[in-house]
Amino acid sequence: MDVQTLTYIFVGVTFSIYIGIAIWSRAGTTDDFYVAGGGVPPLANGMATAADWMSAASFISMAGIISFVGRDGAVYLMGWTGGYVLLALLLAPYLRKFGKYTVPDFVGDRYYSDFARLVAVICVLFVSFTYVAGQMRGVGIVFSRFLEVEITTGVLIGMGIVFFYAVLGGMKGITYTQVAQFCVLIFAFLVPAIFISMLMTGNPVPQLGFGSTLTDGSNMYLLDKLDQLSTDLGFGAYTEGKKSTIDMFFITAALMVGTAGLPHVIVRFFTVPKVRDARISAGYALVFIAILYTTAPALASFARVNLINTVNNAEYKTTPPWFKNWEETNLIAWVDKNQDGKIQYSSGKAFSGKPEFINARGNEGERKISNSLTPNSNELYIDRDIMVLANPEIANLPDWVIALVAAGGLAAALSTAAGLLLVISTSISHDLLKKIVFKSINDKQELFFARLSAAVAILIAGYFGIHPPGFVAQVVAFAFGLAASSFFPVILMGIFSKRMNKEGAIAGMITGLIFTASYIIYFKFINPSSNSAENWWLGISPEGIGTLGMLLNFLIAWLVMRVTAPPPDEIKDMVDDIRVPQGAGAAYHHLDNHHH
């Protein structure tokens, strides 16, 4: 069977499983729809959390980024994994004890203000929509390459599937679907990594293969070989970072704190029966995530070595079939600048503009784009996002592995997209309509609005996937920066400070949000030509500015809190109650009464 048939079978089988699960676990009440009735066992919740968290960015893009930027790519590993530790220790158990459905719910009740709730809803919608655009794009890329349909068609199919199990099953359907998706995506990530590690280093454990010598007879270590290949092509050593220490620190912190403030991840902790289960499931999730995250740098390095070895200086006529296949998707493009029929790969852009706009085919599959060439020796354009997906083909692995990776990429993108869409629909139906606009609607009407808003959200997300803003990669950094500068301080102070009042929280949220958003918008969209270290404030890049936004948020909130009235007593009691461990209640209240 050829790759395409196998892919149809793998994708078809996994999709039927997801739909079957959705039908089996339909949501009957708003409680089911929002938090799966609060009855998900910790192990299943750990898997679902991992699937929710490991998006197309983790599965498809992260190893791609690392394979192109080398050591600087480590910020993603440290930031995203570290964020989970923060979440598990500082936030998850307390939010579970508070027992609300959503982050705006917590913000609105803790800061006794509908305005605070509204600001939180706006933040949730912004963060979730920017994030979901990238997922839909990932779905489109996988479909266009492996099922050979247009990216648009791919996105529409993805929308249909997500619509089906998110709108029908709600959180209950999504949770058990995500358990299945986690199994698919982790298997799909590990199988090729183990295969390639065996082929290149003779070691079946990719994490160890990463530090081993190559089996090509050169007796060189993998990373030494990569450094040599990279410097020969003018890229600079793979294991040396180019970013300043302060920027590395700020980006890592923004990703960590952004992770801990991401609404679709926090919601997962509301679905377990007890507070203790929230901690346990966070522990499981960390283990499941670490499996993929420790494999990614190894996979990135293998892919990079394979790519350079198979493509650089190769005759175009004799390039392997994978190269021509990926050319069809416009994610890889070659132009013969010196007319020698060979592919020269080195640092620098191959041509100005994007390949999809210059897809006029010349003879021999080369592109006629002589008017937009850039004056360097590089003739190859490669989209980073193809590294994980093309890796099995580049390494000549069996067809079934290629099909498996396609199914894994879809599982990663769809599981996160579903979680995000649910958060969007909950924020609109529960926080905006039920709590602010129509306070009198009943359970049934609320469920109807939740399904309706999920449907509308899917349409908007699909539109972004078909017409992606040209900056999907930066958009995710944007989402993290905004989550870091808006949510994290408010949630943290809400749990650990009895004195923090609504005025402080609202002022902090708005300040952090406006500062971070305007900095990112200026460098990314208004004046992208000035986006370089010498123009940044204190040398902090737009990806890391969320950390500064968060510090500003804390500062302003504290200053405003000092000059405004303290929160009412029942709010202080509520904060006490969130923090006191269960079971300590009786003794605690006895002491408390004794003091009064």
Side-chain angles (χ1 to χ4, degrees):
M1 272 193 281
D2 63 342
V3 175
Q4 203 180 348
T5 317
L6 280 164
T7 310
Y8 271 116
I9 293 170
F10 276 45
V11 171
V13 168
T14 52
F15 276 15
S16 328
I17 292 173
Y18 306 154
I19 288 175
I21 291 173
I23 293 171
W24 165 73
S25 55
R26 274 194 313 279
T29 63
T30 45
D31 207 29
D32 273 351
F33 193 86
Y34 293 146
V35 290
V40 181
L43 181 67
N45 196 48
M47 282 186 177
T49 309
D52 211 343
W53 167 236
M54 289 189 288
S55 61
S58 292
F59 189 91
I60 299 175
S61 307
M62 188 173 59
I65 291 172
I66 297 171
S67 74
F68 280 85
V69 300
R71 197 186 88 179
D72 287 344
V75 291
Y76 295 98
L77 298 170
M78 296 185 297
W80 284 345
T81 331
Y84 246 84
V85 180
L86 263 185
L87 188 60
L89 296 177
L90 275 182
L91 307 181
Y94 302 110
L95 286 173
R96 173 64 191 85
K97 179 129 190 250
F98 186 72
K100 288 290 185 244
Y101 292 140
T102 62
V103 177
D105 223 359
F106 172 78
V107 173
D109 285 8
R110 164 62 183 84
Y111 295 111
Y112 50 97
S113 147
D114 277 349
F115 184 68
R117 190 189 304 270
L118 187 65
V119 175
V121 169
I122 293 167
C123 296
V124 165
L125 294 179
F126 197 92
V127 171
S128 304
F129 271 122
T130 43
Y131 209 162
V132 84
Q135 309 311 320
M136 284 304 181
R137 182 77 183 147
V139 173
I141 290 174
V142 175
F143 269 112
S144 71
R145 164 64 192 89
F146 293 104
L147 304 179
E148 288 169 27
V149 295
E150 285 291 307
I151 284 193
T152 310
T153 319
V155 172
L156 290 171
I157 298 171
M159 281 164 62
I161 300 283
V162 173
F163 177 83
F164 191 85
Y165 67 76
V167 174
L168 187 75
M171 183 53 113
K172 200 170 167 190
I174 287 175
T175 300
Y176 292 105
T177 315
Q178 280 173 338
V179 173
Q181 282 162 335
F182 171 75
C183 300
V184 174
L185 83 89
I186 204 76
F187 191 62
F189 200 80
L190 291 178
V191 168
I194 292 166
F195 254 110
I196 297 170
S197 185
M198 278 294 289
L199 289 171
M200 289 177 71
T201 65
N203 194 321
V205 183
Q207 289 88 334
L208 300 176
F210 187 44
S212 304
T213 51
L214 294 164
T215 51
D216 58 4
S218 65
N219 225 7
M220 281 179 85
Y221 280 99
L222 170 72
L223 289 172
D224 291 341
K225 175 81 173 174
L226 248 179
D227 277 348
Q228 184 199 330
L229 287 171
S230 299
T231 43
D232 286 353
L233 299 178
F235 285 103
Y238 187 79
T239 53
E240 277 173 27
K242 296 184 188 61
K243 284 190 182 296
S244 65
T245 309
I246 180 165
D247 199 28
M248 286 287 273
F249 176 79
F250 269 80
I251 295 177
T252 306
L255 292 171
M256 276 178 73
V257 175
T259 299
L262 275 183
H264 71 289
V265 177
I266 291 176
V267 160
R268 290 246 51 103
F269 296 106
F270 295 144
T271 61
V272 290
K274 298 198 295 288
V275 178
R276 182 165 167 264
D277 298 338
R279 281 188 202 271
I280 297 171
S281 63
Y284 278 132
L286 198 58
V287 173
F288 294 141
I289 292 166
I291 297 172
L292 188 137
Y293 275 41
T294 52
T295 312
L299 196 69
S301 311
F302 299 149
R304 183 83 175 150
V305 172
N306 273 335
L307 179 83
I308 295 173
N309 283 342
T310 51
V311 170
N312 188 38
N313 250 342
E315 291 268 348
Y316 182 78
K317 282 180 178 167
T318 58
T319 51
W322 72 264
F323 191 87
K324 311 258 196 327
N325 291 338
W326 278 100
E327 265 194 317
E328 293 295 331
T329 62
N330 287 320
L331 297 173
I332 200 166
W334 170 66
V335 53
D336 197 359
K337 290 182 181 178
N338 55 6
Q339 304 296 316
D340 64 350
K342 287 185 173 178
I343 300 171
Q344 260 82 40
Y345 179 45
S346 61
S347 75
K349 283 185 164 181
F351 35 76
S352 46
K354 273 195 141 121
E356 50 254 49
F357 306 130
I358 2 185
N359 198 356
R361 290 265 161 167
N363 45 4
E364 283 299 337
E366 181 224 324
R367 287 148 201 266
K368 280 188 177 162
I369 41 177
S370 49
N371 58 343
S372 63
L373 298 184
T374 52
N376 60 34
S377 56
N378 182 31
E379 301 180 344
L380 191 64
Y381 163 86
I382 304 173
D383 189 305
R384 294 170 175 181
D385 283 353
I386 74 170
M387 292 307 273
V388 170
L389 298 173
N391 201 8
E393 294 173 87
I394 301 174
N396 256 331
L397 298 186
D399 287 350
W400 66 268
V401 179
I402 300 170
L404 179 67
V405 169
L410 288 172
L414 292 174
S415 59
T416 305
L420 287 163
L421 290 164
L422 190 80
V423 164
I424 293 169
S425 83
T426 314
S427 303
I428 294 172
S429 63
H430 184 72
D431 298 311
L432 193 64
L433 298 177
K434 171 111 172 129
K435 292 292 180 87
I436 301 176
V437 189
F438 310 118
K439 296 193 173 178
S440 59
I441 57 174
N442 63 27
D443 210 32
K444 204 171 169 187
Q445 290 164 315
E446 192 187 337
L447 190 58
F448 167 75
F449 281 123
R451 292 197 156 121
L452 185 68
S453 41
V456 176
I458 289 173
L459 293 174
I460 300 173
Y463 176 81
F464 281 141
I466 296 166
H467 306 282
F471 39 82
V472 164
Q474 296 131 351
V475 157
V476 172
F478 201 4
F480 278 91
L482 294 180
S485 60
S486 60
F487 282 137
F488 184 74
V490 187
I491 298 173
L492 197 66
M493 294 182 297
I495 295 170
F496 293 101
S497 159
K498 282 201 278 191
R499 176 71 181 80
M500 184 45 69
N501 56 12
K502 66 176 176 188
E503 291 83 0
I506 293 169
M509 252 196 318
I510 293 175
T511 311
L513 197 66
I514 290 175
F515 170 76
T516 308
S518 41
Y519 191 91
I520 296 176
I521 289 167
Y522 177 75
F523 282 116
K524 291 289 189 192
F525 310 121
I526 296 174
N527 196 352
S529 55
S530 66
N531 189 8
S532 59
E534 55 268 20
N535 298 325
W536 295 335
W537 214 40
L538 307 174
I540 302 167
S541 65
E543 285 78 14
I545 200 67
T547 306
L548 206 55
M550 168 193 78
L551 296 173
L552 264 178
N553 182 333
F554 275 121
L555 178 69
I556 299 290
W558 186 76
L559 290 173
V560 172
M561 172 197 83
R562 296 294 301 260
V563 296
T564 47
D569 287 342
E570 66 266 20
I571 299 291
K572 292 181 181 170
D573 291 345
M574 179 168 84
V575 177
D576 266 339
D577 194 49
I578 296 175
R579 287 222 306 277
V580 175
Q582 260 165 338
Y588 177 79
H589 286 301
H590 175 73
L591 275 172
D592 210 33
N593 297 335
H594 193 68
H595 282 298
H596 285 305

